[in-house]
């Protein structure tokens, strides 16, 4: 954090890449967190490259690597970990709310793990107490990181093979507690086939509370998972393979959302991320054949407010041009090979604390093949960025809105709604004043 603030971004980038070479899984977990959310783009990009290198050495994708490095924090499959003080032992459990609870040997719930006493084994108790403190810190970091990952998975529609899903969400005690608070879907050719919930006792059920059985793994899936190649996974999507992913409310009827909510309420479960209550935004008929999203056009708001909210949501400042000015924010999502660029009247590096006007947003391919909603593909492309680079998303390189997956469209509109929420004024003639 300190190095890039002192114009030493290069050494910070090298440090991140060095950290990724550390053999401890916790090191890659830290690098993964930096790659997903970090204030300085240069450092974030370096972390991403370090993860790509590590994943390539293992022959898997970066997301598969991120799955593998989720720590179990010493908990067993029953979500329990014992801390031994010698004469006394304490059992710590993870709750469905992803909090920890401490119990003594008689099963009495304690407010916290007690400090070592005179009757305890001095060495054992001190070591156990220190391990507990470290575990609490790691628990907080892990929960924060995995919430971020699941939010991203929900936004982009990431899917797992059946076996990969079991390894991550059934066998890992931390992710198990995430999984039981979410609604999952079985997908074929990226279309939702059925929905289910993973119960606390290890069983699965439907929205009608009937027993549900996971689909069986196929040979093509196993081969794709073992190879860890995105191409293999995409190819198998076109066959008989079925995958598991987080259900987005845009895929559900109002009745299904209501029934699932009632079931979670009956079991007194609070969802770890916003899923069923997530706002949904649909594309209008008029927008389908457009290449620009203009529903936020003309919104007037403070430049620092706009930039601060967008960057918190994972967007970046566009290319810096003449006199240190910039005129866009963007985000890119590798899972979909899609990016989106928001144009506005412009500001300067550091901000001016003045009002700016929002223009249109455009979706574009980041390069490679992007899947369209109808199962087809969108053209390859990409926007060049850097100092004094004037490339931008326009009619020649952006996608028709109807080519954008409806889940991703809804998520981008949600983010832009949050980013422009402070706007109290609108310039209806914004196109004429550009």
């Amino acid at each position: 954090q300190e190095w890039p603030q002192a114009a030493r971004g290069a050494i910070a980038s090298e440090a991140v890449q060095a950290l990724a070479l550390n053999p401890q899984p916790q090191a890659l977990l830290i690098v993964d967190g930096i790659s997903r959310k970090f204030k300085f783009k240069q450092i974030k990009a370096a972390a991403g490259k370090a993860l790509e290198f590590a994943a390539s050495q293992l022959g898997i994708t970066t997301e598969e690597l991120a799955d593998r490095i989720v720590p179990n924090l010493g908990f067993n499959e029953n979500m329990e970990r014992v801390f031994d003080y010698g004469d006394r032992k304490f059992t710590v459990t993870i709750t469905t709310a992803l909090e920890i609870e401490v119990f003594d040997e008689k099963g009495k719930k304690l407010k916290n793990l007690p400090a070592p006493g005179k009757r305890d084994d001095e060495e054992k108790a001190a070591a156990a107490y220190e391990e507990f403190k470290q575990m609490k810190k790691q628990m907080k970091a892990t929960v924060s990181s995995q919430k971020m990952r699941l939010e991203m998975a929900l936004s982009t529609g990431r899917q797992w093979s059946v076996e990969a899903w079991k390894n991550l969400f059934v066998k890992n005690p931390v992710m198990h507690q995430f999984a039981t608070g979410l609604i999952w879907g079985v997908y074929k050719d990226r279309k939702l086939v059925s929905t289910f919930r993973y119960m606390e006792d290890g069983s699965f059920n439907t929205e009608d509370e009937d027993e549900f059985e996971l689909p069986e793994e196929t040979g093509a899936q196993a081969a794709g998972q073992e190879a860890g190649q995105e191409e293999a996974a995409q190819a198998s999507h076109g066959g008989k393979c079925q995958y598991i992913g987080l259900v987005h409310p845009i895929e559900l009827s109002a009745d299904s959302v209501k029934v699932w909510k009632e079931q979670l309420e009956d079991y007194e479960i609070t969802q770890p991320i916003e899923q069923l209550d997530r706002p949904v935004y649909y594309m209008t008929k008029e927008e389908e054949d457009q290449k620009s999203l203009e529903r936020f056009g003309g919104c007037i708001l403070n430049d620092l407010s706009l930039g601060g909210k967008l960057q918190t949501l994972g967007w970046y400042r566009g290319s810096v041009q003449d006199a240190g000015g910039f005129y866009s924010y963007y985000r890119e999502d590798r899972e979909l090979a899609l990016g989106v660029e928001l144009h506005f009247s412009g500001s300067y590096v550091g901000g001016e604390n003045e009002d700016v006007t929002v223009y249109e947003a455009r979706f574009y391919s980041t390069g490679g093949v992007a899947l369209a909603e109808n199962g087809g593909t969108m053209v390859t492309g990409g926007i060049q960025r850097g100092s004094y680079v004037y490339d931008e998303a326009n009619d020649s390189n952006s996608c028709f809105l109807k080519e954008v997956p409806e889940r991703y469209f809804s998520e981008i509109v949600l983010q832009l709604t949050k980013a422009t929420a402070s706007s109290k004024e609108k310039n209806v003639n914004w196109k004429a004043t550009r």
Side-chain angles (χ1 to χ4, degrees):
Q1 288 280 9
E2 293 176 5
W3 279 333
Q5 289 176 345
R8 303 187 71 190
I11 193 172
S13 298
E14 294 290 345
V16 167
Q17 293 183 63
L19 181 60
L21 298 175
N22 188 294
Q24 298 299 317
Q26 295 94 323
L28 278 179
L29 192 65
I30 294 170
V31 175
D32 180 67
I34 293 173
S35 75
R36 294 176 186 279
K37 188 176 181 181
F38 200 72
K39 181 178 180 180
F40 300 98
K41 182 188 175 185
Q42 180 184 12
I43 319 305
K44 184 174 184 290
K49 288 182 179 179
L51 288 174
E52 287 174 3
F53 174 76
S56 70
Q57 295 298 296
L58 295 170
I60 59 178
T61 67
T62 52
E63 283 302 319
E64 288 172 324
L65 174 62
D67 288 346
R68 288 193 187 185
I69 62 177
V70 179
N72 60 26
L73 302 178
F75 288 88
N76 59 29
E77 292 188 7
N78 294 321
M79 278 64 72
E80 295 179 345
R81 179 175 174 179
V82 176
F83 290 87
D84 189 355
Y85 277 26
D87 287 341
R88 296 188 295 170
K89 292 182 180 180
F90 302 92
T91 300
V92 177
T93 64
I94 310 175
T95 70
T96 53
L98 293 162
E99 297 174 346
I100 58 172
E101 293 182 338
V102 182
F103 298 88
D104 64 15
E105 291 177 296
K106 296 181 179 179
K108 180 182 178 182
K109 183 179 175 181
L110 308 177
K111 289 185 178 181
N112 206 343
L113 188 72
K118 293 181 179 179
R119 296 183 180 180
D120 297 317
D121 182 299
E122 184 176 352
E123 188 174 330
K124 272 188 176 183
Y129 192 64
E130 181 60 29
E131 286 176 7
F132 175 77
K133 289 194 294 183
Q134 291 300 319
M135 182 273 294
K136 285 183 68 175
K137 290 180 182 178
Q138 292 173 3
M139 181 77 175
K140 183 178 180 180
T142 300
V143 169
S144 176
S145 173
Q146 298 313 309
K147 280 186 178 181
M148 195 187 311
R149 288 188 66 217
L150 289 171
E151 282 276 358
M152 183 69 73
L154 180 59
S155 295
T156 61
R158 187 189 173 195
Q159 296 173 11
W160 290 264
S161 69
V162 178
E163 191 60 33
W165 186 86
K166 287 180 180 178
N167 287 336
L168 180 60
F169 293 102
V170 175
K171 295 181 180 179
N172 184 288
V174 178
M175 299 309 292
H176 175 280
Q177 298 301 68
F178 271 109
T180 57
L182 297 166
I183 307 304
W184 300 91
V186 175
Y187 292 82
K188 182 178 180 181
D189 299 335
R190 291 199 170 271
K191 298 294 183 183
L192 182 63
V193 176
S194 55
T195 61
F196 69 92
R197 189 167 81 84
Y198 179 34
M199 306 294 285
E200 293 78 3
D201 62 3
S203 63
F204 305 94
N205 75 346
T206 67
E207 64 180 69
D208 297 323
E209 301 203 49
D210 293 328
E211 187 176 348
F212 180 84
E213 290 188 11
L214 293 181
E216 293 184 4
E217 191 82 86
T218 67
Q221 276 179 302
Q225 179 188 332
E226 183 177 350
Q229 299 294 325
E230 292 184 12
E231 294 85 356
Q234 289 178 0
S236 59
H237 268 296
K240 298 180 180 180
C241 300
Q242 293 184 320
Y243 286 76
I244 298 177
L246 282 166
V247 173
H248 193 284
I250 202 168
E251 301 171 305
L252 300 174
S253 67
D255 286 342
S256 289
V257 171
K258 181 182 177 182
V259 171
W260 275 124
K261 281 184 178 181
E262 290 174 349
Q263 186 176 142
L264 292 176
E265 289 172 2
D266 289 344
Y267 284 88
E268 299 182 344
I269 289 177
T270 301
Q271 293 204 288
I273 62 172
E274 188 178 49
Q275 185 185 25
L276 296 179
D277 286 327
R278 205 173 191 84
V280 171
Y281 298 90
Y282 296 93
M283 195 181 304
T284 66
K285 284 291 184 182
E286 293 75 15
E287 288 173 329
E288 288 182 358
D289 293 319
Q290 301 297 318
K291 283 195 168 184
S292 62
L293 175 64
E294 300 180 354
R295 60 174 74 181
F296 299 97
C299 287
I300 299 172
L301 69 160
N302 181 272
D303 64 338
L304 297 179
S305 173
L306 176 66
K309 289 180 179 177
L310 284 174
Q311 290 179 64
T312 299
L313 292 167
W315 293 62
Y316 292 99
R317 184 181 62 212
S319 298
V320 179
Q321 301 175 4
D322 294 338
F326 66 98
Y327 305 88
S328 66
Y329 286 97
Y330 74 96
R331 67 168 296 140
E332 294 183 344
D333 294 279
R334 287 179 297 176
E335 280 283 314
L336 298 173
L338 274 176
V340 58
E341 185 174 80
L342 177 70
H343 299 153
F344 73 112
S345 57
S347 184
Y348 293 91
V349 176
E352 294 189 293
N353 198 25
E354 294 183 357
D355 284 345
V356 293
T357 302
V358 174
Y359 297 153
E360 81 281 4
R362 289 178 177 269
F363 295 85
Y364 59 92
S365 170
T366 58
V369 178
L371 294 174
E373 189 66 18
N374 59 10
T377 58
M378 291 183 284
V379 296
T380 59
I383 306 298
Q384 299 300 313
R385 304 192 189 280
S387 297
Y388 298 101
V389 173
Y390 295 84
D391 195 15
E392 66 175 17
N394 51 45
D395 279 344
S396 67
N397 57 21
S398 55
C399 311
F400 284 103
L401 297 186
K402 63 185 176 184
E403 296 176 305
V404 179
E406 63 175 6
R407 177 196 296 237
Y408 191 63
F409 177 86
S410 179
E411 288 297 301
I412 294 302
V413 173
L414 173 60
Q415 292 176 15
L416 294 178
T417 299
K418 291 178 179 178
T420 59
S422 62
S423 175
K424 305 298 181 184
E425 184 182 358
K426 198 163 187 176
N427 177 6
V428 295
N429 297 314
W430 62 273
K431 288 184 180 181
T433 59
R434 287 197 60 172

